[in-house]
């Protein structure tokens, strides 16, 4: 017997109050459907048109945004994962992009700071230089949760998805539920989003929960959406349609374990060869 998890899909804008009201509504919807682990996408609280506005929204973990969602977790007795939050760092010009986990008692139980920063110039003409305004993290983070979840989570954010070594390290530490909250661009998402998510699930024999932003956020930003939950065989078992919504699926770690017995590729690894190459 497993537990129910939800991926929340949002179209966040440059209005924190609006976004948090939407997040609370969708958290309640997911909790009503029985989800005990609910994942919000990257930039759930704010997606404004300028980096300067984003910098102004940076807060410590005891600021009003996280405090409000701690209350939501406590109210619904669920674990929330907040997939991309501008956490104040020691550099006022470069906050962290942080993935915060809140337990059903309202306490913060883990915090991952995004390691891989999105510095690209895409063929559609869009330019992204996340490192100019974001302090990179320096740690791989997993989070062991008690019942009813009773699983170890592996935390990541968006662009991290392109770096399989990060997820393998989390799996080595016991993670079997990999969280990939994102705000994937339309240009890359249409070709790469699902392919990469399913690959991470298959190669790690793990569930993947991918909460995403969707649609037009402002004149400068459109995201792909397609939030989904994927099982360890690589099958998409829940998916959001093209709107703000939630998708819910069962996470059955016994099933993951059985798959591992039939296809024990994780035990066939040769780090003694590969890591010396």
């Amino acid at each position: 017997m497993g537990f129910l998890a939800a991926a929340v899909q949002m179209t966040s804008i440059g209005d924190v109050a609006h976004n948090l009201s939407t997040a609370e509504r969708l958290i309640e919807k997911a909790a009503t459907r029985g989800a005990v682990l609910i994942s919000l996408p990257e930039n759930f609280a704010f997606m404004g048109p300028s980096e300067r506005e984003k910098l102004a929204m940076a807060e410590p973990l005891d600021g009003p945004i996280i405090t409000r969602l701690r209350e939501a977790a406590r109210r619904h007795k669920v674990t929330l994962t907040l997939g991309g939050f501008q956490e104040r760092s020691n550099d006022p010009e470069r906050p962290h992009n942080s993935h915060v986990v809140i337990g059903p008692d309202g306490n913060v139980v883990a915090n991952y700071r995004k390691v891989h920063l999105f510095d690209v110039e895409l063929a559609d003409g869009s330019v992204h230089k996340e490192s100019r305004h974001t302090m990179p993290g320096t740690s791989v983070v997993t989070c062991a949760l008690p019942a009813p979840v009773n699983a170890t989570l592996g935390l990541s954010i968006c662009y991290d998805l392109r770096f399989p070594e990060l997820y393998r390290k989390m799996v080595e530490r016991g993670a079997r539920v990999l969280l990939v909250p994102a705000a994937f661009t339309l240009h890359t998402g249409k070709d790469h989003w699902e392919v990469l998510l399913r690959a991470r699930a298959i190669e790690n024999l793990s569930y993947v929960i991918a909460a995403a932003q969707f649609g037009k956020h402002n004149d400068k930003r459109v995201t792909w959406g397609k939030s989904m939950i994927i099982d360890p065989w690589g099958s998409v078992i829940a998916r959001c349609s093209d709107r703000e919504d939630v998708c819910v699926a069962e996470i059955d770690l016994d099933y993951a374990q059985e798959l591992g017995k039939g296809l024990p590729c994780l035990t066939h690894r040769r780090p003694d060869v590969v890591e010396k190459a």
Side-chain angles (χ1 to χ4, degrees):
M1 188 68 179
F3 63 92
L4 293 182
V8 172
Q9 183 162 284
M10 299 177 64
T11 307
S12 297
I13 59 174
D15 183 331
V16 173
H18 169 85
N19 297 333
L20 292 184
S21 293
T22 299
E24 288 173 329
R25 173 174 57 82
L26 294 173
I27 289 167
E28 181 176 17
K29 182 175 183 178
T32 300
R33 292 180 60 183
V36 296
L37 175 67
I38 302 172
S39 182
L40 269 61
E42 184 181 24
N43 298 329
F44 65 91
F46 185 81
M47 279 193 76
S50 76
E51 291 297 335
R52 182 55 55 186
E53 288 180 290
K54 186 187 293 185
L55 288 175
M57 301 310 305
E59 298 180 358
L61 291 183
D62 59 356
I65 291 173
I66 298 299
T67 297
R68 182 166 169 177
L69 289 167
R70 288 177 62 187
E71 293 170 356
R74 190 181 301 114
R75 180 165 62 252
H76 295 292
K77 297 181 174 58
V78 297
T79 295
L80 295 180
T81 86
L82 313 178
F85 164 75
Q86 298 303 307
E87 180 198 1
R88 194 173 294 166
S89 76
N90 57 12
D91 182 345
E93 296 297 316
R94 299 173 74 208
H96 295 291
N97 187 351
S98 296
H99 184 168
V100 181
V101 181
I102 301 172
D105 58 1
N107 291 326
V108 173
V109 296
N111 182 23
Y112 164 75
R113 293 163 174 164
K114 188 178 182 183
V115 170
H116 302 99
L117 301 184
F118 192 49
D119 287 359
V120 299
E121 298 181 17
L122 298 173
D124 66 355
S126 59
V127 177
H128 302 267
K129 298 293 183 183
E130 189 176 16
S131 64
R132 289 180 182 170
H133 306 284
T134 303
M135 179 75 72
T138 57
S139 300
V140 177
V141 176
T142 58
C143 174
L145 297 178
V149 173
N150 200 28
T152 298
L153 311 180
L155 307 185
S156 66
I157 301 173
C158 199
Y159 190 51
D160 285 328
L161 180 59
R162 296 183 181 275
F163 301 89
E165 63 274 16
L166 174 66
Y167 298 89
R168 181 52 53 88
K169 182 61 67 175
M170 293 189 288
V171 168
E172 288 177 353
R173 297 182 180 184
R176 287 297 180 271
V177 181
L178 306 176
L179 300 176
V180 192
F184 240 65
T185 67
L186 179 65
H187 179 71
T188 58
K190 61 185 176 60
D191 295 319
H192 297 168
W193 173 242
E194 183 173 332
V195 174
L196 289 170
L197 290 170
R198 294 179 68 189
R200 298 296 86 83
I202 293 166
E203 68 198 8
N204 292 299
L205 291 170
S206 298
Y207 282 90
V208 171
I209 301 173
Q213 292 283 349
F214 162 76
K216 185 173 182 178
H217 308 275
N218 51 62
D219 290 340
K220 296 182 178 180
R221 193 71 187 273
V222 181
T223 53
W224 175 240
K226 303 293 190 290
S227 301
M228 64 185 73
I229 301 175
I230 302 169
D231 76 9
W233 194 250
S235 300
V236 178
I237 56 176
R239 187 196 307 259
C240 286
S241 56
D242 290 344
R243 59 181 180 135
E244 292 189 315
D245 202 3
V246 302
C247 61
V248 177
E250 182 183 14
I251 307 299
D252 185 351
L253 296 181
D254 289 339
Y255 172 61
Q257 187 174 30
E258 286 302 313
L259 288 178
K261 291 177 181 178
L263 185 64
C265 56
L266 292 176
T267 65
H268 294 161
R269 296 176 58 244
R270 290 294 307 277
D272 58 314
V273 174
V274 174
E275 294 179 5
K276 290 192 304 182

